[in-house]
Amino acid sequence: MLRVGPLGLGILVALLRVLAACEFGPFPYSATGIACRMTKPAALLMNQETAQVIQVAFRNAKFPNITGERAVRFLGKVTYGLTNIQVNNLSIEQSEVELKENDAIDIAIRNVMAIFKGTLNYGYAGAWFLQLFHSVDFEIESSIDLQLNIKLMCQEDQVAADASDCYLTFHKLTLHLQGDKEPGWIKQLFTDFIAFTLKLVLKSEVCKEINILAQVLANFIQDIAANFVQDENIRLDISLASVPLIKANYLESHHKGLVQYKNYSDVFSDSLFSPSLLSESRMLYFWLSEHILNSLASAAFLDERLVLTIAGEKLQALFEIEDTEAQRRAVEMIFQGTSYNNSVAKVWSLAQPHISLQPEGTVVKALVAAEISIFPLGKEPMMVLYVEKEITVTVQAVYAEKKLHLHPVDSRVEFKVFNCTADPSGNDESIRNFLQKIISITGIPEVISRIEPTLISLMNSKGLHLFEIRSPEIITRKGYLIVQLDFSFPDHLLLEFLEKTL
């Protein structure tokens, strides 16, 4: 038996859908660009949110007034009405969920202790013209078990949850009038009258609210995921690509991960994914295809994001990597005596970069142009250097202390075009060799150092910094990468969302 709370339900709903409602191709994982596996320890962690979520469900239930009348021997016709019903002092003992390898999730929420308060209005006209009408405050102590059988549906590539199959079992339902805990004939009379009706009303309203809450949580998880993989006008299609898996120790969903950018059209149908590529030792796994990274790089190129300018102290640090005569000569020839503060270097990608995932890291191959312009005092600006080169660099990624670290471990530079004002013939190998050293030793690390904070800022803007991520690993293999980690969920995040939404 796997234990999980309503937050876990939201994630389950977001990961799964009814098989009969969605059609997939004959090859189950061929269109998978992203896969997500949540293991049993992660589901157990989600259970910590149970009490808060159920409290929200009960608190937001809108209980109608309960009215009725009944003929009682010797008393005549008795009428009653319960108004202003509200919930106080809710507590929950435990919740359990059983994953079935079909389209259902059974959730049992045990021993929900709740006190309902309100006002009881009653009256009766008895024999011998005796009449009595009265209004008292009431309090109802209850002990309830909830049993939910969640059905999952697919609606326009989105997961919809049907929690209408909901049962409430009452172990205790005790009515107290005006705070009096001692039994009396009036209390016994109205307890007998209203118990059955009250049970029906509570079941209807609580189950209705849980049904709403299940879909709100599903939408919440899906919205978080969709927002996380979107930046301005570049986004990923995270609609499901194949049948989700429900196993005893994990849940797994498969998503298309197609890049969507203006008129850019992404197609993918040759995935390397297989469930056997992921283990069950960590709480959360993400599998990403090499195709996704290539498509994101193409979209970034089309969106003109792969441009970098360097000036001032950064430019000086780039060119003064060593204090040698050869360096000073090359710098003097290139900048023609102009200070770094009056110079600027621009680097940009001439074509869409190509990304290859290999066991040694992420290999990026790009055709890059670089130019240096100087702005001599009292003279016209002048471009003094223009080069085009093919750069191949292998990068290893590490996420630690809420920061992404990119480490270049190997690089190769091949010049395709070389134009230098100080060397029109291009025969001076010293300048070319000096530039090659600059690119390899400081140029590539400088570019990567600019990418790191950009990616960190982007991920944190999506809320990644709110999670306490433990021992994350980014593992590259031929054609794909795997991110595996343990985490702590920010418990305030869900509650704040529900309070704002419901």
Side-chain angles (χ1 to χ4, degrees), residues 10 211-221 223 497-498 501-502:
N211 195 17
I212 294 172
L213 188 60
Q215 189 55 49
V216 168
L217 288 171
N219 293 336
F220 173 61
I221 299 300
D223 289 345
F497 167 78
L498 292 175
T501 305
L502 299 177

Side-chain angles (χ1 to χ4, degrees), residues 284-304:
L284 195 61
Y285 294 82
F286 294 100
W287 182 97
L288 283 83
S289 168
E290 175 183 282
H291 175 84
I292 287 181
L293 300 183
N294 269 308
S295 297
L296 287 172
S298 296
F301 169 77
L302 295 173
D303 204 41
E304 300 181 350

Side-chain angles (χ1 to χ4, degrees), residues 321-338:
I321 59 174
E322 57 185 9
D323 187 15
T324 64
E325 181 62 32
Q327 175 211 283
R328 289 191 291 271
R329 177 178 175 274
V331 169
E332 178 64 29
M333 291 179 67
I334 293 172
F335 290 91
Q336 301 180 19
T338 305

Side-chain angles (χ1 to χ4, degrees), residues 318-319 321-322 324 326-327 329-331 333-334 385 387 413-415 418 420 423 426-442:
L318 189 66
F319 275 86
I321 59 174
E322 57 185 9
T324 64
Q327 175 211 283
R329 177 178 175 274
V331 169
M333 291 179 67
I334 293 172
L385 178 70
V387 295
V413 179
E414 180 182 352
F415 285 96
F418 185 89
C420 180
D423 181 25
N427 295 326
D428 193 335
E429 291 293 328
S430 64
I431 296 179
R432 190 181 300 234
N433 293 337
F434 175 66
L435 290 174
Q436 185 147 354
K437 183 182 291 187
I438 287 178
I439 294 169
S440 300
I441 296 177
T442 60

Side-chain angles (χ1 to χ4, degrees), residues 72 94 100 131 164 174 178 187 216 253 340 362 384 389:
V72 179
Q94 67 177 13
K100 294 185 176 180
Q131 294 186 357
S164 59
T174 305
Q178 291 184 325
K187 183 177 71 174
V216 168
S253 61
Y340 293 111
T362 302
V384 294
K389 63 265 187 194

Side-chain angles (χ1 to χ4, degrees), residues 233-404:
N233 50 1
I234 300 176
R235 62 183 297 270
L236 291 180
D237 174 12
I238 59 170
S239 58
L240 293 180
S242 62
V243 178
L245 297 179
I246 311 174
K247 299 295 183 180
N249 295 323
Y250 66 84
L251 306 167
E252 186 173 283
S253 61
H254 318 104
H255 308 266
K256 295 176 182 177
L258 299 177
V259 172
Q260 298 176 337
Y261 170 74
K262 294 183 179 179
N263 296 326
Y264 176 81
S265 180
D266 196 12
V267 179
F268 181 56
S269 60
D270 191 22
S271 177
L272 299 175
F273 177 76
S274 168
S276 63
L277 297 176
L278 304 179
S279 67
E280 302 172 21
S281 60
R282 306 299 297 274
M283 295 173 67
L284 195 61
Y285 294 82
F286 294 100
W287 182 97
L288 283 83
S289 168
E290 175 183 282
H291 175 84
I292 287 181
L293 300 183
N294 269 308
S295 297
L296 287 172
S298 296
F301 169 77
L302 295 173
D303 204 41
E304 300 181 350
R305 300 192 185 193
L306 305 183
V307 180
L308 176 65
T309 57
I310 306 172
E313 293 181 358
K314 288 287 186 179
L315 188 59
Q316 181 177 359
L318 189 66
F319 275 86
E320 295 185 356
I321 59 174
E322 57 185 9
D323 187 15
T324 64
E325 181 62 32
Q327 175 211 283
R328 289 191 291 271
R329 177 178 175 274
V331 169
E332 178 64 29
M333 291 179 67
I334 293 172
F335 290 91
Q336 301 180 19
T338 305
S339 72
Y340 293 111
N341 289 331
N342 293 324
S343 307
V344 63
K346 178 182 177 183
V347 183
W348 70 97
S349 183
L350 291 169
Q352 300 177 7
H354 180 266
I355 296 177
S356 173
L357 294 173
Q358 302 293 336
E360 58 269 21
T362 302
V363 181
V364 182
K365 186 175 182 179
L367 182 61
V368 177
E371 68 178 28
I372 295 177
S373 299
I374 61 174
F375 304 87
L377 294 176
K379 297 182 181 180
E380 292 294 321
M382 179 188 308
M383 186 176 70
V384 294
L385 178 70
Y386 176 84
V387 295
E388 294 179 6
K389 63 265 187 194
E390 187 176 80
I391 297 177
T392 304
V393 58
T394 301
V395 180
Q396 293 179 348
V398 176
Y399 186 84
E401 299 179 350
K402 299 186 182 295
K403 291 184 179 181
L404 179 67

